[in-house]
Amino acid sequence: MSKLWITSLAKDEARVQRIMIAAKRYGLDGAGHFWADDLEKLAWVDVREQMLKAAPSCWFILATAAELALPSVRYGLSLVALGLSSRRALPIVILLPGEESVNPAALPTPLAGASVLSEANPWQAKLVARANLPVKAPPSGYRIDVYGNPQYGQWFEVGPSEGNWDGALFAVADGEITFQAVGPRGALPESTVLNFAQQGLGLELGGRAFTAWAVRNPIAADQSHYVRVKGAPDALLFGAYPEAQDAECFRLNLK
């Protein structure tokens, strides 16, 4: 039996029970939680850790259009999705009540590949198909992970998916970078040596202002650029250190 991880954005026990019974009839076994919209306490971290341990076949989000429009909810879901995708590609399905609809293309970047279904139409067979469909992460040129702890804060880890970056730059829109480090891939480094570190660089892309920090350390596939970020930025901009105005960079919208 395929396993679902069910995230209910509202504490609606009756809806969750109804959905779980319907899914089980189609061979889908559900477990999950009610969403805690608390970015200050980094509530998304526990969700990510629980899901990694449960290893579900699909992430099934029960929501309303109004809930999905909340910036704090969009940000929290985005960080969970980033933390999962760094380890294994997982299909995401969003179920809306009644005739409600949401444009998947308008969702934050980490959720943009989600399937959006409505309870007003037969959804069970579509959920089964999505849960059993192998998912391959599209080639991106980068890798990204996220860490969080009330003591050491919220960190992003970025680096090349292959090859090398000659230095690294990381920028946020409507957030604050407070520290950066370079170290081995996969865990926050205990110490770091930075080459020609820069802070407070002003950038603009697509009409949005970003604040960037950068280093000139070479970043190989087994190395990463780690950045501590305060707050909940609307978007991230990162990549190799830009040597020219038209240098390639990657942008993720998180809200």
Side-chain angles (χ1 to χ4, degrees), residues 107-192:
L107 292 171
T109 308
L111 304 175
S115 298
V116 180
L117 307 178
S118 170
E119 286 188 64
N121 302 307
W123 55 268
Q124 294 90 338
K126 293 180 180 179
L127 175 61
V128 172
R130 193 78 170 96
N132 290 284
L133 184 67
V135 176
K136 292 185 178 180
S140 61
Y142 67 86
R143 50 185 167 78
I144 184 169
D145 202 353
V146 60
Y147 305 86
N149 181 286
Q151 281 71 47
Y152 58 73
Q154 170 184 259
W155 289 76
F156 291 92
E157 174 191 0
V158 295
S161 56
E162 58 183 12
N164 299 281
W165 286 353
D166 185 13
L169 176 143
F170 190 96
V172 296
D174 294 333
E176 180 185 359
I177 300 173
T178 60
F179 199 82
Q180 65 180 341
V182 172
R185 176 179 176 176
L188 295 177
E190 295 182 3
S191 62
T192 189

Side-chain angles (χ1 to χ4, degrees), residues 10 22 44 69-70 80 96 105 123 125 127 149:
W44 55 268
L70 295 172
V80 174
L96 301 173
W123 55 268
L127 175 61
N149 181 286

Side-chain angles (χ1 to χ4, degrees), residues 5-92:
W5 183 269
I6 300 175
T7 292
S8 177
L9 296 186
K11 195 169 185 179
D12 187 341
E13 296 181 3
R15 185 188 184 199
V16 171
Q17 187 69 15
R18 183 179 73 251
I19 296 300
M20 289 181 68
I21 291 173
K24 197 161 189 176
R25 291 190 184 125
Y26 280 74
L28 298 171
D29 190 22
H33 70 115
F34 294 109
W35 182 256
D37 186 18
D38 193 339
L39 296 181
E40 185 175 347
K41 293 184 178 179
L42 305 177
W44 55 268
V45 175
D46 287 339
V47 179
R48 196 252 330 245
E49 294 306 312
Q50 290 177 52
M51 291 183 68
L52 289 174
K53 290 179 182 177
S57 305
C58 179
W59 187 15
F60 193 30
I61 302 173
L62 308 185
T64 66
E67 290 163 350
L68 284 176
L70 295 172
S72 57
V73 170
R74 293 164 73 89
Y75 184 82
L77 293 175
S78 291
L79 293 201
V80 174
L82 285 181
L84 295 173
S85 64
S86 67
R87 291 158 177 79
R88 58 188 291 258
L90 187 69
I92 302 173

